[in-house]
Structure formats: structure tokens, C-alpha cells
Amino acid sequence: MGEIKMRYKVGYSQLERIVKGVASHRRLQMLELINNEPELSLDQIVDKLKINYKTGGEHLRRLATSGLVLKRSEGNSVRHKISPRAESMLKCLRTLE
């Protein structure tokens, strides 16, 4: 069998990480929220979505690991915004509606 030529800018492992990043309804909600209201802190996110702090933190960690959320420190707080990759992913997902 011949070798499969990859047509993506990132490797298959990175693509898997990105897909897993959005493989949760809660993470999709978080991406939509952060897209609509950039620079939210974890406290603000969990308050608006009415979810557990620890759960919200874990979901944000996964989104950041997959390159979908960018973090910025501001004093004692960390602010979150979606990455260009996440913007593309949200556009793609909207086409499936």
C-alpha cells in the first residue's frame, strides 16, 4: 500500500487535538460565549453558563491545549478569547446546521 500524503498544514495528531477540543457541547457553548464576549475570566464564564468552576476550568484547559482559546493574564485574573483557528472551526460547524 502506498503512503497517504497529508494535505493539512498540521499533522494528524494536532488535527485530532483540535477535533477533541470541540467534541463537547459544553466546550462549544464556551467557544460561542467567548466569541460573543471576548476577554472573559473563568469566573465570568462559569457564572454565565451556570456550570461548576472545576468543570469549567477543565474545559478551558482542553480548549487552550487544542489551540482554540488564547489566554492573557491581567492582574490576578486570566482573560480568554478564541483563536483564529476557533473562528474557522465555528464557521465550519455552522455550515452543518
Side-chain angles (χ1 to χ4, degrees):
M1 245 183 157
E3 186 176 315
I4 298 173
K5 185 167 178 135
M6 194 165 69
R7 298 181 293 167
Y8 305 105
K9 292 180 182 178
V10 297
Y12 289 119
S13 294
Q14 180 64 18
L15 282 175
E16 177 185 24
R17 209 171 297 128
I18 294 166
V19 171
K20 284 183 177 180
V22 295
S24 161
H25 74 282
R26 188 65 71 198
R27 289 193 287 275
L28 288 171
Q29 283 180 318
M30 293 175 103
L31 282 176
E32 284 287 349
L33 175 63
I34 297 167
N35 185 45
N36 294 331
E37 299 181 47
E39 300 293 318
L40 291 175
S41 68
L42 175 58
D43 288 329
Q44 293 168 315
I45 293 168
V46 300
D47 184 55
K48 288 177 182 282
L49 295 178
K50 303 203 181 331
I51 60 174
N52 178 280
Y53 187 88
K54 187 175 177 180
T55 302
E58 178 61 22
H59 283 304
L60 273 176
R61 184 190 68 75
R62 288 181 185 227
L63 288 167
T65 299
S66 63
L68 298 172
V69 167
L70 304 173
K71 297 181 174 197
R72 179 181 66 80
S73 293
E74 183 179 273
N76 291 335
S77 184
V78 176
R79 301 294 175 173
H80 302 85
K81 69 177 186 177
I82 67 169
S83 69
R85 176 179 286 155
E87 288 179 32
S88 298
M89 180 64 79
L90 287 174
K91 285 179 188 175
C92 176
L93 291 172
R94 285 185 193 114
T95 65
L96 301 174
E97 292 181 313

